[in-house]
Amino acid sequence: MELTIKKKYLKKTKVEKSWKDRIFDFSVYGIAILMMILIIYPLWFIIIASFSNPVDIANGNVWFWPKEWKIDGYIELLKQEMIWIGYRNTIIYTIVGTIIALFVNIPAGYALSRQDLFGRKWISIFYITPMFIGGGLIPTYLVVKNFGLIDTFWVLVLPFSVSAFNIIIARTFFKNSIPETLWEAAQIDGCGTIRYFFTMVLPLSKAILAVIGLWTAVGIWNSWFDAMIYISNENLQPLQLVLRRILIMNESLLGTASGELASELRRLSEMMKYAAIVVSTLPIMCLYPFLQKYFNQGIMVGSIKE
């Protein structure tokens, strides 16, 4: 009896959508699906192209599935010993660099969010100014060289670990997400500033930690220009620079070959280009879904509110 009454009540209270609302919903879902296709399809095409014959790709015969499966590009790419060295280096650079960046930028952002920080406005200007004015490549190189960091492991994780943009994002997050009453309650219980930061603030800041950590990790993983400028030792070069060297070497070999050999080298070179993209981006693509919810929450809170 009660169930029947509830059903009748729900039917009466249910509001049917007008045709305008339905058209609006259809338009929103349609645009969202279209945007998703525009983002996903290029990634999918790179994957299927890495398993396809370059001739089929050039002739437009590959759209959603390889016409014939080939793994020659992956075999030739993974045969290179230097690529495993590059992978090892990049993983170490990414892990160590992300930890250092979080250790440096998060406390700085929290300090700038405190109203009782002496000289807070001037310190903020000190951080913001380099976002608009840079010293340039040559002065930066000379500074790095004078510190003795050229051709060392630390050159890719120390000099560029401080990010004024990340500090400002973290400052805004702490300012709007951590209530001042929490600090007052901690003071009453005899909690100091450092203990408060590590035991209460950080556990409540998973979103901004994930955002800055992901940004830093992606930046270090994809970095090749800094390595090209500051590292000449092949045993210290990251994956992106190693892949660049392999592709340049293949292009140089194409210039010296002829006939069927040139055709085969060109085919392998094209397949290796797509395989190199997949190999270099796959770890980040696998990591992102686990941090997506923190990423969305942190970037919205840290960038919109003030």
Side-chain angles (χ1 to χ4, degrees):
M1 184 67 181
E2 292 182 0
L3 182 61
T4 305
I5 295 174
K6 286 182 179 179
K7 287 183 178 179
K8 290 182 179 180
Y9 177 76
L10 290 174
K11 286 181 180 179
K12 290 181 180 180
T13 56
K14 184 178 180 181
V15 179
E16 293 186 0
K17 291 185 177 181
S18 64
W19 63 271
K20 291 183 179 180
D21 293 333
R22 292 178 180 177
I23 292 176
F24 177 78
D25 292 343
F26 179 79
S27 302
V28 170
Y29 285 118
I31 294 172
I33 293 172
L34 179 61
M35 293 181 63
M36 185 174 64
I37 293 174
L38 292 175
I39 294 172
I40 293 177
Y41 179 72
L43 301 175
W44 174 245
F45 181 80
I46 293 295
I47 294 174
I48 62 176
S50 66
F51 292 101
S52 303
N53 192 326
V55 177
D56 294 332
I57 298 173
N59 294 332
N61 297 327
V62 177
W63 288 92
F64 298 102
W65 200 257
K67 191 174 182 181
E68 54 178 332
W69 288 86
K70 291 184 176 295
I71 58 173
D72 300 358
Y74 288 98
I75 293 175
E76 292 298 323
L77 185 66
L78 298 178
K79 275 183 181 179
Q80 309 289 333
E81 183 180 355
M82 63 179 72
I83 196 173
W84 300 108
I85 298 175
Y87 242 122
R88 179 201 65 191
N89 293 338
T90 298
I91 291 173
I92 297 174
Y93 287 140
T94 302
I95 294 175
V96 176
T98 302
I99 293 174
I100 292 176
L102 291 174
F103 184 79
V104 171
N105 294 313
I106 294 298
Y110 172 72
L112 290 178
S113 70
R114 300 295 307 161
Q115 296 292 335
D116 53 355
L117 176 66
F118 178 77
R120 186 170 64 94
K121 292 184 179 179
W122 293 104
I123 297 175
S124 298
I125 294 174
F126 176 80
Y127 278 109
I128 293 173
T129 301
M131 295 176 64
F132 304 97
I133 302 174
L137 179 60
I138 295 177
T140 304
Y141 181 87
L142 294 176
V143 171
V144 173
K145 182 180 179 181
N146 290 335
F147 275 98
L149 295 176
I150 300 296
D151 257 344
T152 64
F153 167 83
W154 300 105
V155 72
L156 295 183
V157 297
L158 279 182
F160 312 103
S161 59
V162 178
S163 171
F165 179 78
N166 289 341
I167 292 174
I168 299 302
I169 291 293
R171 181 201 66 177
T172 307
F173 177 87
F174 289 128
K175 184 177 179 181
N176 293 282
S177 301
I178 308 298
E180 185 66 22
T181 54
L182 188 63
W183 165 240
E184 294 174 357
Q187 282 183 308
I188 294 174
D189 292 336
C191 185
T193 303
I194 296 178
R195 183 183 175 187
Y196 170 72
F197 174 73
F198 282 103
T199 59
M200 303 188 73
V201 174
L202 287 184
L204 298 174
S205 307
K206 294 179 181 179
I208 198 64
L209 290 173
V211 169
I212 295 180
L214 184 61
W215 279 348
T216 305
V218 171
I220 296 175
W221 187 275
N222 293 329
S223 177
W224 64 273
F225 184 75
D226 291 338
M228 185 180 67
I229 297 297
Y230 301 112
I231 294 180
S232 58
N233 186 348
E234 295 182 359
N235 293 323
L236 293 175
Q237 292 181 347
L239 177 63
Q240 305 297 338
L241 194 58
V242 170
L243 293 175
R244 177 177 177 272
R245 285 176 53 211
I246 293 174
L247 296 178
I248 291 175
M249 288 169 58
N250 289 339
E251 292 294 332
S252 63
L253 289 175
L254 284 174
T256 60
S258 60
E260 294 183 0
L261 178 60
S263 177
E264 179 65 15
L265 287 175
R266 188 174 293 108
R267 184 183 71 86
L268 288 175
S269 177
E270 290 298 321
M271 295 187 70
M272 287 176 66
K273 286 180 181 179
Y274 290 111
I277 296 174
V278 175
V279 166
S280 61
T281 57
L282 187 61
I284 292 296
M285 292 175 64
C286 293
L287 176 66
Y288 180 78
F290 297 100
L291 299 176
Q292 183 180 7
K293 63 176 182 179
Y294 297 117
F295 181 82
N296 293 336
Q297 179 185 353
I299 187 60
M300 294 301 292
V301 173
S303 61
I304 294 179
K305 292 184 178 180
E306 181 58 46

